[in-house]
Coordinates of all heavy atoms in Angstrom, one line a residue:
M468 N 12.4 8.5 2.7 CA 13.2 8.5 1.5 C 12.6 9.3 0.4 O 11.5 9.1 0.0 CB 13.3 7.0 1.1 CG 14.2 6.8 -0.1 SD 14.5 5.1 -0.3 CE 15.0 5.1 -1.9
P469 N 13.3 10.4 0.0 CA 12.7 11.2 -1.1 C 12.7 10.6 -2.4 O 13.4 9.6 -2.7 CB 13.6 12.5 -1.1 CG 14.9 11.9 -0.5 CD 14.6 10.8 0.4
A470 N 11.8 11.1 -3.3 CA 11.7 10.6 -4.7 C 13.0 10.8 -5.4 O 13.7 11.8 -5.2 CB 10.5 11.2 -5.4
N471 N 13.2 10.0 -6.4 CA 14.4 10.1 -7.2 C 14.1 11.3 -8.2 O 13.1 11.4 -8.8 CB 14.6 8.9 -8.1 CG 15.9 8.8 -8.7 OD1 16.6 9.8 -8.8 ND2 16.3 7.7 -9.2
S472 N 15.1 12.2 -8.2 CA 14.9 13.5 -9.0 C 14.7 13.3 -10.5 O 14.1 14.1 -11.2 CB 16.0 14.5 -8.7 OG 17.2 13.9 -9.2
K473 N 15.2 12.2 -11.0 CA 15.0 12.0 -12.5 C 13.6 11.7 -12.8 O 13.2 11.8 -14.0 CB 16.0 10.9 -13.0 CG 15.6 9.5 -12.5 CD 16.6 8.5 -13.1 CE 16.2 7.1 -12.8 NZ 17.1 6.1 -13.3
Y474 N 12.8 11.2 -11.9 CA 11.4 11.0 -12.1 C 10.5 12.2 -11.9 O 9.3 12.2 -12.2 CB 10.8 9.8 -11.3 CG 11.5 8.5 -11.6 CD1 12.4 7.9 -10.7 CD2 11.4 7.9 -12.9 CE1 13.0 6.7 -11.0 CE2 12.0 6.7 -13.2 CZ 12.8 6.1 -12.2 OH 13.4 5.0 -12.5
L475 N 11.0 13.2 -11.3 CA 10.2 14.4 -11.0 C 10.3 15.4 -12.2 O 11.3 15.5 -12.8 CB 10.7 15.1 -9.8 CG 10.6 14.3 -8.5 CD1 11.2 15.0 -7.3 CD2 9.2 13.9 -8.2
N476 N 9.2 16.0 -12.5 CA 9.2 17.0 -13.6 C 8.9 18.3 -13.1 O 7.8 18.7 -12.6 CB 8.0 16.6 -14.6 CG 8.2 17.3 -15.9 OD1 9.0 18.2 -16.1 ND2 7.3 16.9 -16.9
P477 N 10.0 19.2 -13.0 CA 9.8 20.5 -12.4 C 9.1 21.5 -13.2 O 8.7 22.5 -12.7 CB 11.3 20.9 -12.2 CG 12.0 20.2 -13.3 CD 11.3 18.9 -13.5
S478 N 8.8 21.3 -14.5 CA 8.2 22.2 -15.3 C 6.7 22.3 -15.0 O 6.0 21.3 -14.7 CB 8.4 21.9 -16.8 OG 7.8 22.8 -17.6
F479 N 6.1 23.5 -15.2 CA 4.7 23.7 -14.9 C 3.7 23.1 -15.9 O 2.8 22.4 -15.5 CB 4.4 25.2 -14.7 CG 2.9 25.5 -14.6 CD1 2.3 25.2 -13.4 CD2 2.2 26.0 -15.6 CE1 0.9 25.5 -13.2 CE2 0.9 26.3 -15.5 CZ 0.2 26.0 -14.3
W480 N 4.0 23.3 -17.2 CA 3.0 22.9 -18.2 C 2.9 21.4 -18.4 O 1.7 20.9 -18.6 CB 3.4 23.5 -19.5 CG 3.1 25.0 -19.5 CD1 4.1 26.0 -19.5 CD2 1.9 25.6 -19.4 NE1 3.4 27.2 -19.4 CE2 2.1 27.0 -19.3 CE3 0.5 25.2 -19.4 CZ2 1.0 27.9 -19.2 CZ3 -0.5 26.1 -19.3 CH2 -0.2 27.5 -19.2
P481 N 3.9 20.6 -18.3 CA 3.6 19.1 -18.3 C 2.8 18.6 -17.2 O 1.9 17.8 -17.3 CB 5.0 18.5 -18.3 CG 5.9 19.5 -18.9 CD 5.3 20.8 -18.4
R482 N 3.1 19.2 -16.0 CA 2.3 18.8 -14.8 C 0.8 19.2 -15.0 O -0.1 18.5 -14.7 CB 2.9 19.4 -13.6 CG 3.5 18.5 -12.6 CD 4.0 19.1 -11.4 NE 4.8 20.3 -11.7 CZ 4.9 21.3 -11.0 NH1 4.3 21.4 -9.8 NH2 5.6 22.4 -11.3
F483 N 0.6 20.5 -15.4 CA -0.7 21.0 -15.6 C -1.5 20.3 -16.7 O -2.7 20.0 -16.5 CB -0.6 22.5 -16.0 CG -1.9 23.2 -16.3 CD1 -2.7 23.6 -15.2 CD2 -2.4 23.4 -17.6 CE1 -3.9 24.2 -15.4 CE2 -3.6 24.0 -17.8 CZ -4.4 24.4 -16.7
S484 N -0.8 19.9 -17.7 CA -1.5 19.1 -18.8 C -1.9 17.7 -18.3 O -3.0 17.2 -18.6 CB -0.7 19.0 -20.1 OG 0.5 18.2 -19.8
K485 N -1.1 17.1 -17.5 CA -1.5 15.8 -17.0 C -2.6 15.9 -16.0 O -3.5 15.1 -16.0 CB -0.3 15.1 -16.3 CG 0.7 14.4 -17.2 CD 1.7 13.7 -16.5 CE 2.6 13.0 -17.4 NZ 3.6 12.1 -16.7
I486 N -2.6 16.9 -15.1 CA -3.6 17.0 -14.1 C -5.0 17.4 -14.8 O -6.0 16.8 -14.4 CB -3.2 18.1 -13.1 CG1 -2.1 17.6 -12.2 CG2 -4.4 18.5 -12.2 CD1 -1.4 18.7 -11.4
T487 N -4.9 18.3 -15.7 CA -6.2 18.6 -16.4 C -6.7 17.5 -17.3 O -7.9 17.3 -17.4 CB -6.0 19.9 -17.2 OG1 -5.0 19.8 -18.2 CG2 -5.8 21.1 -16.3
A488 N -5.8 16.8 -17.9 CA -6.2 15.6 -18.7 C -6.8 14.5 -17.8 O -7.8 13.9 -18.2 CB -5.0 15.0 -19.5
A489 N -6.2 14.4 -16.7 CA -6.8 13.3 -15.7 C -8.2 13.7 -15.3 O -9.1 12.9 -15.3 CB -5.8 13.2 -14.5
I490 N -8.3 15.0 -14.8 CA -9.6 15.4 -14.3 C -10.6 15.7 -15.3 O -11.7 15.0 -15.4 CB -9.4 16.6 -13.3 CG1 -8.5 16.2 -12.1 CG2 -10.7 17.1 -12.9 CD1 -8.1 17.4 -11.3
L491 N -10.4 16.6 -16.2 CA -11.3 17.0 -17.2 C -11.5 16.0 -18.4 O -12.6 15.6 -18.7 CB -11.0 18.4 -17.7 CG -11.1 19.5 -16.7 CD1 -10.6 20.8 -17.4 CD2 -12.5 19.7 -16.2
G492 N -10.3 15.6 -18.9 CA -10.4 14.7 -20.1 C -11.0 13.4 -19.7 O -11.8 12.8 -20.4
G493 N -10.6 12.8 -18.5 CA -11.1 11.6 -18.1 C -12.6 11.7 -17.9 O -13.4 10.8 -18.2
Y494 N -13.1 12.8 -17.3 CA -14.5 13.0 -17.1 C -15.3 13.1 -18.4 O -16.3 12.5 -18.6 CB -14.7 14.3 -16.3 CG -16.2 14.6 -16.0 CD1 -16.9 13.9 -15.1 CD2 -16.8 15.6 -16.7 CE1 -18.2 14.1 -14.8 CE2 -18.2 15.8 -16.5 CZ -18.9 15.1 -15.5 OH -20.2 15.4 -15.3
F495 N -14.7 13.8 -19.4 CA -15.4 14.0 -20.7 C -15.5 12.6 -21.4 O -16.6 12.3 -21.9 CB -14.7 14.9 -21.6 CG -14.7 16.4 -21.2 CD1 -13.7 17.2 -21.5 CD2 -15.8 16.8 -20.4 CE1 -13.7 18.5 -21.1 CE2 -15.8 18.2 -20.0 CZ -14.8 19.0 -20.4
V496 N -14.5 11.8 -21.3 CA -14.5 10.5 -22.0 C -15.5 9.6 -21.3 O -16.3 8.9 -21.9 CB -13.1 9.8 -22.0 CG1 -13.1 8.4 -22.5 CG2 -12.2 10.6 -22.9
S497 N -15.5 9.6 -20.0 CA -16.4 8.8 -19.2 C -17.9 9.2 -19.5 O -18.7 8.3 -19.7 CB -16.1 8.9 -17.7 OG -17.0 8.2 -16.9
V498 N -18.2 10.4 -19.5 CA -19.6 10.9 -19.7 C -20.0 10.6 -21.1 O -21.1 10.1 -21.4 CB -19.7 12.4 -19.3 CG1 -21.0 12.9 -19.8 CG2 -19.6 12.5 -17.9
T499 N -19.2 10.9 -22.1 CA -19.6 10.7 -23.5 C -19.7 9.2 -23.8 O -20.5 8.8 -24.6 CB -18.6 11.4 -24.5 OG1 -17.2 10.9 -24.2 CG2 -18.7 12.9 -24.4
F500 N -18.9 8.4 -23.2 CA -19.0 6.9 -23.4 C -20.4 6.5 -22.9 O -21.1 5.7 -23.6 CB -17.9 6.2 -22.6 CG -18.0 4.7 -22.6 CD1 -17.8 4.0 -23.8 CD2 -18.4 4.1 -21.5 CE1 -18.0 2.6 -23.8 CE2 -18.6 2.7 -21.4 CZ -18.4 2.0 -22.6
H501 N -20.7 6.9 -21.7 CA -22.0 6.4 -21.2 C -23.2 7.0 -21.9 O -24.2 6.4 -22.1 CB -22.1 6.7 -19.7 CG -21.3 5.8 -18.9 ND1 -20.0 6.0 -18.6 CD2 -21.6 4.6 -18.3 CE1 -19.5 5.0 -17.9 NE2 -20.5 4.1 -17.7
L502 N -23.1 8.2 -22.4 CA -24.2 8.8 -23.2 C -24.3 8.1 -24.5 O -25.4 8.0 -25.1 CB -24.0 10.3 -23.3 CG -24.2 11.2 -22.1 CD1 -23.8 12.6 -22.4 CD2 -25.6 11.0 -21.6
A503 N -23.2 7.7 -25.1 CA -23.2 6.9 -26.3 C -23.9 5.6 -26.1 O -24.7 5.2 -26.9 CB -21.8 6.7 -26.9
L504 N -23.6 5.0 -25.0 CA -24.3 3.7 -24.7 C -25.8 4.0 -24.5 O -26.7 3.2 -24.9 CB -23.8 3.1 -23.4 CG -22.4 2.4 -23.5 CD1 -22.0 1.8 -22.1 CD2 -22.6 1.2 -24.5
A505 N -26.1 5.1 -23.8 CA -27.5 5.4 -23.6 C -28.3 5.7 -24.8 O -29.5 5.5 -24.9 CB -27.6 6.6 -22.6
S506 N -27.6 6.2 -25.9 CA -28.3 6.5 -27.1 C -28.6 5.3 -27.9 O -29.5 5.3 -28.8 CB -27.5 7.5 -27.9 OG -26.3 7.0 -28.4
W507 N -27.9 4.2 -27.6 CA -28.2 2.9 -28.3 C -28.9 1.9 -27.5 O -29.6 1.0 -28.1 CB -26.8 2.3 -28.8 CG -26.3 3.1 -30.0 CD1 -25.3 4.1 -29.9 CD2 -26.6 3.0 -31.3 NE1 -25.0 4.5 -31.1 CE2 -25.8 3.9 -32.0 CE3 -27.5 2.2 -32.0 CZ2 -25.9 4.0 -33.4 CZ3 -27.6 2.3 -33.4 CH2 -26.8 3.2 -34.1
L508 N -28.8 1.9 -26.2 CA -29.4 0.9 -25.3 C -30.5 1.6 -24.5 O -30.8 2.8 -24.8 CB -28.3 0.3 -24.4 CG -27.2 -0.4 -25.1 CD1 -26.1 -0.8 -24.1 CD2 -27.6 -1.5 -25.9
N509 N -31.0 0.9 -23.6 CA -32.1 1.4 -22.7 C -31.5 2.6 -21.9 O -30.7 2.4 -21.0 CB -32.6 0.3 -21.8 CG -33.8 0.8 -21.0 OD1 -34.2 1.9 -21.1 ND2 -34.4 -0.1 -20.2
R510 N -32.1 3.8 -22.1 CA -31.5 5.0 -21.6 C -31.5 5.0 -20.1 O -30.6 5.4 -19.4 CB -32.3 6.2 -22.1 CG -31.7 7.5 -21.7 CD -32.5 8.6 -22.4 NE -32.5 8.4 -23.8 CZ -31.8 9.2 -24.7 NH1 -31.2 10.2 -24.3 NH2 -31.9 8.9 -26.0
A511 N -32.6 4.6 -19.5 CA -32.8 4.7 -18.0 C -31.8 3.7 -17.3 O -31.1 4.1 -16.3 CB -34.2 4.3 -17.6
N512 N -31.6 2.5 -17.8 CA -30.7 1.6 -17.2 C -29.3 2.0 -17.3 O -28.5 1.9 -16.4 CB -30.9 0.2 -17.9 CG -32.2 -0.4 -17.5 OD1 -32.8 0.0 -16.6 ND2 -32.6 -1.4 -18.3
V513 N -28.9 2.6 -18.5 CA -27.5 3.0 -18.6 C -27.2 4.2 -17.7 O -26.1 4.3 -17.1 CB -27.2 3.4 -20.1 CG1 -25.9 4.0 -20.3 CG2 -27.3 2.1 -21.0
L514 N -28.1 5.2 -17.6 CA -27.9 6.3 -16.8 C -27.9 6.0 -15.3 O -27.1 6.7 -14.6 CB -28.9 7.4 -17.1 CG -28.8 8.0 -18.6 CD1 -29.8 9.1 -18.8 CD2 -27.4 8.5 -18.8
I515 N -28.6 5.1 -14.9 CA -28.6 4.6 -13.5 C -27.2 3.9 -13.2 O -26.6 4.1 -12.2 CB -29.8 3.8 -13.1 CG1 -31.0 4.6 -13.1 CG2 -29.6 3.1 -11.8 CD1 -32.3 3.8 -13.0
T516 N -26.8 3.1 -14.2 CA -25.6 2.4 -14.0 C -24.4 3.3 -14.1 O -23.3 3.1 -13.5 CB -25.4 1.3 -15.1 OG1 -26.6 0.5 -15.1 CG2 -24.2 0.5 -14.9
M517 N -24.6 4.4 -14.8 CA -23.5 5.4 -14.9 C -23.0 6.0 -13.6 O -21.9 6.4 -13.5 CB -23.9 6.5 -15.9 CG -22.9 7.6 -16.2 SD -23.5 8.8 -17.3 CE -22.7 10.2 -16.7
A518 N -23.9 6.0 -12.6 CA -23.6 6.6 -11.3 C -22.4 5.8 -10.7 O -21.6 6.4 -10.0 CB -24.8 6.6 -10.4
F519 N -22.3 4.5 -11.0 CA -21.2 3.7 -10.4 C -20.1 3.4 -11.4 O -18.9 3.7 -11.2 CB -21.8 2.4 -9.9 CG -22.8 2.6 -8.9 CD1 -24.1 2.4 -9.1 CD2 -22.5 3.0 -7.6 CE1 -25.1 2.6 -8.2 CE2 -23.4 3.2 -6.6 CZ -24.8 3.0 -6.9
S520 N -20.5 3.0 -12.6 CA -19.5 2.6 -13.6 C -18.8 3.9 -14.2 O -17.6 3.8 -14.5 CB -20.1 1.8 -14.7 OG -21.0 2.5 -15.4
G521 N -19.5 5.0 -14.2 CA -18.8 6.2 -14.7 C -17.7 6.7 -13.8 O -16.7 7.1 -14.2
F522 N -17.9 6.5 -12.5 CA -16.9 6.9 -11.5 C -15.7 6.0 -11.6 O -14.5 6.4 -11.6 CB -17.4 6.9 -10.1 CG -16.4 7.3 -9.0 CD1 -16.0 8.6 -8.9 CD2 -15.9 6.3 -8.2 CE1 -15.1 8.9 -8.0 CE2 -15.0 6.6 -7.3 CZ -14.6 7.9 -7.1
I523 N -15.9 4.7 -11.8 CA -14.9 3.7 -11.9 C -14.0 4.0 -13.2 O -12.8 3.9 -13.1 CB -15.4 2.3 -11.8 CG1 -16.0 2.0 -10.5 CG2 -14.3 1.2 -12.2 CD1 -16.8 0.7 -10.4
L524 N -14.8 4.2 -14.3 CA -14.1 4.5 -15.5 C -13.3 5.8 -15.4 O -12.1 5.9 -15.9 CB -15.1 4.6 -16.7 CG -14.5 4.9 -18.1 CD1 -13.5 3.8 -18.5 CD2 -15.6 5.1 -19.0
W525 N -13.8 6.8 -14.8 CA -13.1 8.1 -14.6 C -11.9 7.9 -13.8 O -10.8 8.5 -14.2 CB -14.1 9.1 -13.9 CG -13.6 10.5 -13.8 CD1 -12.7 11.1 -14.6 CD2 -13.9 11.4 -12.8 NE1 -12.5 12.4 -14.2 CE2 -13.2 12.6 -13.1 CE3 -14.7 11.4 -11.7 CZ2 -13.3 13.8 -12.3 CZ3 -14.8 12.5 -10.9 CH2 -14.2 13.7 -11.2
V526 N -11.9 7.1 -12.7 CA -10.7 6.9 -11.9 C -9.6 6.1 -12.8 O -8.5 6.5 -12.7 CB -11.0 6.1 -10.6 CG1 -9.8 5.7 -9.9 CG2 -11.9 7.0 -9.7
A527 N -10.1 5.2 -13.5 CA -9.1 4.4 -14.4 C -8.5 5.3 -15.4 O -7.3 5.2 -15.7 CB -9.9 3.3 -15.1
L528 N -9.3 6.2 -16.0 CA -8.7 7.2 -17.0 C -7.8 8.2 -16.3 O -6.8 8.7 -16.9 CB -9.8 7.9 -17.7 CG -10.6 7.0 -18.7 CD1 -11.9 7.7 -19.1 CD2 -9.8 6.6 -19.8
M529 N -8.1 8.5 -15.0 CA -7.1 9.4 -14.3 C -5.8 8.7 -14.1 O -4.7 9.3 -14.3 CB -7.7 9.8 -12.9 CG -8.8 10.8 -12.9 SD -9.3 11.0 -11.2 CE -9.7 12.7 -11.3
I530 N -5.8 7.5 -13.7 CA -4.6 6.7 -13.5 C -3.8 6.6 -14.8 O -2.6 6.8 -14.8 CB -4.9 5.3 -12.9 CG1 -5.5 5.5 -11.5 CG2 -3.7 4.4 -12.9 CD1 -6.0 4.2 -10.9
I531 N -4.5 6.3 -15.9 CA -3.8 6.2 -17.2 C -3.2 7.6 -17.6 O -2.1 7.6 -18.1 CB -4.8 5.8 -18.3 CG1 -5.2 4.3 -18.1 CG2 -4.2 6.0 -19.7 CD1 -6.3 3.8 -18.9
A532 N -3.9 8.7 -17.3 CA -3.3 10.0 -17.6 C -2.0 10.3 -16.8 O -1.1 10.8 -17.4 CB -4.3 11.1 -17.3
F533 N -1.9 9.8 -15.6 CA -0.7 10.1 -14.8 C 0.4 9.1 -15.2 O 1.5 9.4 -14.9 CB -1.0 10.0 -13.3 CG -1.7 11.3 -12.8 CD1 -3.0 11.2 -12.4 CD2 -1.1 12.5 -12.9 CE1 -3.6 12.4 -11.9 CE2 -1.7 13.7 -12.5 CZ -3.0 13.6 -12.0
L534 N 0.0 8.0 -15.7 CA 1.1 7.0 -16.2 C 1.7 7.3 -17.5 O 2.7 6.9 -17.9 CB 0.5 5.6 -16.2 CG 0.2 5.0 -14.9 CD1 -0.5 3.6 -15.1 CD2 1.4 4.8 -14.0
A535 N 1.0 8.2 -18.3 CA 1.5 8.5 -19.6 C 2.7 9.4 -19.5 O 2.9 10.1 -18.6 CB 0.4 9.3 -20.4
K536 N 3.5 9.3 -20.6 CA 4.7 10.1 -20.7 C 4.4 11.6 -20.9 O 5.1 12.5 -20.3 CB 5.6 9.6 -21.8 CG 6.1 8.2 -21.6 CD 7.5 8.2 -20.9 CE 8.0 6.8 -20.9 NZ 8.9 6.6 -19.8
S537 N 3.5 11.9 -21.8 CA 3.2 13.2 -22.1 C 1.7 13.6 -21.9 O 0.8 12.8 -22.3 CB 3.5 13.5 -23.6 OG 3.0 14.7 -24.1
G538 N 1.5 14.7 -21.2 CA 0.2 15.1 -20.9 C -0.6 15.6 -22.2 O -1.8 15.4 -22.3
W539 N 0.2 16.1 -23.1 CA -0.5 16.6 -24.4 C -0.9 15.4 -25.2 O -2.0 15.5 -25.9 CB 0.5 17.5 -25.1 CG 0.9 18.7 -24.3 CD1 2.2 18.9 -23.9 CD2 0.1 19.7 -23.8 NE1 2.2 20.1 -23.1 CE2 0.9 20.6 -23.1 CE3 -1.2 20.0 -23.9 CZ2 0.5 21.7 -22.4 CZ3 -1.7 21.2 -23.2 CH2 -0.9 22.0 -22.5
K540 N -0.2 14.3 -25.2 CA -0.6 13.2 -26.0 C -1.9 12.6 -25.4 O -2.8 12.1 -26.1 CB 0.5 12.1 -26.1 CG 1.6 12.5 -27.0 CD 2.7 11.4 -27.0 CE 3.9 11.8 -27.8 NZ 4.9 10.8 -27.8
I541 N -1.9 12.5 -24.1 CA -3.1 11.9 -23.4 C -4.3 12.8 -23.6 O -5.4 12.4 -23.8 CB -2.8 11.6 -22.0 CG1 -3.8 10.5 -21.5 CG2 -2.9 12.8 -21.1 CD1 -3.5 9.2 -22.0
W542 N -4.1 14.2 -23.7 CA -5.2 15.1 -24.0 C -5.7 14.8 -25.4 O -6.9 14.8 -25.7 CB -4.7 16.5 -23.9 CG -5.2 17.3 -22.7 CD1 -4.4 17.9 -21.8 CD2 -6.5 17.5 -22.4 NE1 -5.2 18.5 -20.8 CE2 -6.5 18.3 -21.2 CE3 -7.8 17.2 -22.9 CZ2 -7.7 18.7 -20.5 CZ3 -8.9 17.6 -22.3 CH2 -8.9 18.4 -21.1
A543 N -4.8 14.6 -26.4 CA -5.2 14.3 -27.7 C -6.0 13.0 -27.8 O -7.0 13.0 -28.5 CB -4.0 14.3 -28.7
I544 N -5.6 12.0 -27.1 CA -6.3 10.8 -27.1 C -7.7 10.9 -26.5 O -8.7 10.4 -27.0 CB -5.5 9.7 -26.4 CG1 -4.2 9.3 -27.2 CG2 -6.3 8.4 -26.1 CD1 -3.2 8.5 -26.4
Y545 N -7.7 11.6 -25.4 CA -9.0 11.8 -24.7 C -10.0 12.7 -25.6 O -11.2 12.4 -25.6 CB -8.8 12.4 -23.4 CG -8.3 11.5 -22.3 CD1 -8.0 11.9 -21.0 CD2 -8.2 10.1 -22.6 CE1 -7.5 11.1 -20.1 CE2 -7.7 9.3 -21.6 CZ -7.4 9.7 -20.3 OH -6.9 8.9 -19.4
I546 N -9.5 13.7 -26.3 CA -10.3 14.5 -27.1 C -10.8 13.7 -28.3 O -12.0 13.7 -28.7 CB -9.6 15.7 -27.6 CG1 -9.4 16.7 -26.4 CG2 -10.3 16.4 -28.8 CD1 -8.5 17.9 -26.7
L547 N -9.9 12.9 -28.9 CA -10.4 12.0 -30.0 C -11.4 11.0 -29.6 O -12.4 10.7 -30.3 CB -9.2 11.3 -30.6 CG -8.2 12.2 -31.5 CD1 -7.0 11.4 -31.9 CD2 -9.0 12.8 -32.6
L548 N -11.2 10.4 -28.4 CA -12.2 9.4 -27.9 C -13.5 10.1 -27.6 O -14.6 9.6 -27.9 CB -11.7 8.8 -26.6 CG -10.7 7.7 -26.8 CD1 -10.2 7.2 -25.4 CD2 -11.3 6.5 -27.5
S549 N -13.5 11.3 -27.1 CA -14.7 12.1 -26.8 C -15.5 12.4 -28.1 O -16.7 12.3 -28.2 CB -14.4 13.3 -26.0 OG -14.0 13.0 -24.7
L550 N -14.7 12.8 -29.1 CA -15.3 13.1 -30.4 C -15.9 11.9 -31.0 O -17.0 11.9 -31.6 CB -14.3 13.8 -31.3 CG -13.9 15.2 -30.9 CD1 -12.8 15.7 -31.8 CD2 -15.1 16.1 -30.9
L551 N -15.2 10.7 -30.9 CA -15.7 9.5 -31.4 C -17.0 9.1 -30.7 O -18.0 8.7 -31.4 CB -14.7 8.4 -31.3 CG -15.1 7.0 -31.8 CD1 -15.2 7.0 -33.3 CD2 -14.1 6.0 -31.3
F552 N -17.1 9.2 -29.4 CA -18.3 8.9 -28.7 C -19.4 9.9 -29.0 O -20.6 9.5 -29.0 CB -18.0 8.9 -27.2 CG -17.1 7.7 -26.8 CD1 -16.2 7.9 -25.8 CD2 -17.2 6.5 -27.4 CE1 -15.4 6.8 -25.4 CE2 -16.4 5.4 -27.0 CZ -15.5 5.6 -26.0
C553 N -19.0 11.2 -29.3 CA -20.1 12.1 -29.7 C -20.7 11.8 -31.0 O -21.9 11.9 -31.2 CB -19.5 13.5 -29.7 SG -19.2 14.3 -28.1
L554 N -19.9 11.2 -31.9 CA -20.4 10.7 -33.2 C -21.3 9.6 -32.9 O -22.4 9.5 -33.6 CB -19.2 10.3 -34.1 CG -19.6 9.7 -35.4 CD1 -20.3 10.7 -36.3 CD2 -18.4 9.0 -36.1
F555 N -21.0 8.7 -32.0 CA -21.9 7.6 -31.7 C -23.2 8.1 -31.1 O -24.3 7.5 -31.3 CB -21.2 6.6 -30.8 CG -20.2 5.7 -31.4 CD1 -19.1 5.3 -30.7 CD2 -20.2 5.4 -32.8 CE1 -18.1 4.5 -31.3 CE2 -19.2 4.7 -33.4 CZ -18.1 4.2 -32.6
I556 N -23.1 9.1 -30.3 CA -24.3 9.7 -29.7 C -25.2 10.3 -30.8 O -26.4 10.1 -30.8 CB -23.9 10.8 -28.7 CG1 -23.2 10.2 -27.5 CG2 -25.2 11.6 -28.3 CD1 -22.6 11.3 -26.6
Y557 N -24.6 11.0 -31.7 CA -25.4 11.6 -32.8 C -26.0 10.5 -33.7 O -27.2 10.6 -34.0 CB -24.4 12.5 -33.7 CG -25.1 13.0 -34.9 CD1 -26.0 14.0 -34.8 CD2 -24.8 12.4 -36.2 CE1 -26.6 14.5 -36.0 CE2 -25.4 12.9 -37.3 CZ -26.3 14.0 -37.2 OH -27.0 14.4 -38.3
L558 N -25.2 9.5 -34.0 CA -25.8 8.4 -34.8 C -26.9 7.7 -34.1 O -27.9 7.3 -34.7 CB -24.7 7.5 -35.3 CG -23.7 8.0 -36.3 CD1 -22.6 7.0 -36.5 CD2 -24.3 8.4 -37.6
G559 N -26.7 7.4 -32.8 CA -27.7 6.7 -32.0 C -29.0 7.5 -31.9 O -30.1 6.9 -32.0
Q560 N -28.9 8.8 -31.7 CA -30.1 9.6 -31.7 C -30.8 9.8 -33.0 O -32.0 9.8 -33.1 CB -29.8 11.0 -31.1 CG -29.4 10.9 -29.6 CD -29.1 12.3 -29.1 OE1 -28.9 13.3 -29.8 NE2 -29.0 12.4 -27.7
T561 N -30.0 9.8 -34.1 CA -30.5 9.9 -35.4 C -31.3 8.6 -35.8 O -32.4 8.7 -36.3 CB -29.4 10.2 -36.4 OG1 -28.8 11.4 -36.0 CG2 -30.0 10.4 -37.8
F562 N -30.7 7.5 -35.6 CA -31.3 6.3 -36.1 C -32.3 5.7 -35.2 O -33.3 5.1 -35.6 CB -30.2 5.2 -36.3 CG -29.3 5.5 -37.5 CD1 -27.9 5.6 -37.3 CD2 -29.8 5.8 -38.7 CE1 -27.1 5.9 -38.4 CE2 -29.0 6.1 -39.8 CZ -27.7 6.1 -39.7
N563 N -32.2 5.9 -33.9 CA -33.1 5.3 -32.9 C -34.4 6.2 -32.8 O -35.4 5.6 -32.4 CB -32.5 5.1 -31.6 CG -31.4 4.1 -31.6 OD1 -31.5 3.2 -32.4 ND2 -30.4 4.2 -30.8
T564 N -34.4 7.4 -33.1 CA -35.6 8.2 -33.0 C -36.4 8.1 -34.3 O -37.6 8.4 -34.3 CB -35.3 9.7 -32.7 OG1 -34.4 10.2 -33.7 CG2 -34.7 9.9 -31.4
A565 N -35.8 7.7 -35.4 CA -36.5 7.6 -36.7 C -37.3 6.3 -36.7 O -38.3 6.2 -37.5 CB -35.5 7.6 -37.8
Q566 N -37.1 5.4 -35.9 CA -37.8 4.1 -35.9 C -39.1 4.2 -35.2 O -39.4 4.7 -34.3 CB -36.9 3.0 -35.3 CG -35.7 2.7 -36.1 CD -34.8 1.7 -35.4 OE1 -35.1 1.2 -34.4 NE2 -33.7 1.4 -36.1

């Protein structure tokens, strides 16, 4: 049974934005989240745990990207989350190295 044509998007750019948001955007959010945790908590423990939890988070973010209506909106959300986590990384490295 073929897919219903009303759910298929024949245009290239919406498909491309969802695929790149799922792969690249999800990866960036996953890595920056774990690096932000590592800058505030025990670095070795967080980075070892990242080998497993990072992959699970990345897959969850991939699924969310494909469930979203617009690939560009999910890109914007992923970029904002990555920038927020980068701010936490910066603050964590600034305050934790001064002590």
Side-chain angles (χ1 to χ4, degrees):
M468 182 170 162
N471 194 346
S472 62
K473 72 178 181 179
Y474 295 114
L475 299 177
N476 194 351
S478 180
F479 172 76
W480 289 111
R482 251 185 308 154
F483 179 75
S484 65
K485 279 187 179 186
I486 291 170
T487 56
I490 296 171
L491 295 175
Y494 179 75
F495 292 152
V496 172
S497 177
V498 169
T499 55
F500 172 73
H501 283 90
L502 289 176
L504 283 179
S506 67
W507 286 97
L508 302 174
N509 187 357
R510 184 176 307 247
N512 290 342
V513 172
L514 293 181
I515 289 171
T516 306
M517 184 180 147
F519 301 105
S520 62
F522 180 73
I523 293 169
L524 180 61
W525 186 29
V526 170
L528 291 169
M529 283 179 147
I530 293 169
I531 290 170
F533 284 115
L534 290 176
K536 296 264 185 205
S537 171
W539 302 114
K540 286 181 186 178
I541 204 72
W542 254 121
I544 291 169
Y545 284 175
I546 288 173
L547 288 175
L548 281 174
S549 294
L550 290 175
L551 179 71
F552 293 143
C553 285
L554 176 68
F555 289 150
I556 293 168
Y557 174 75
L558 293 174
Q560 290 178 349
T561 302
F562 291 125
N563 292 332
T564 56
Q566 295 177 357

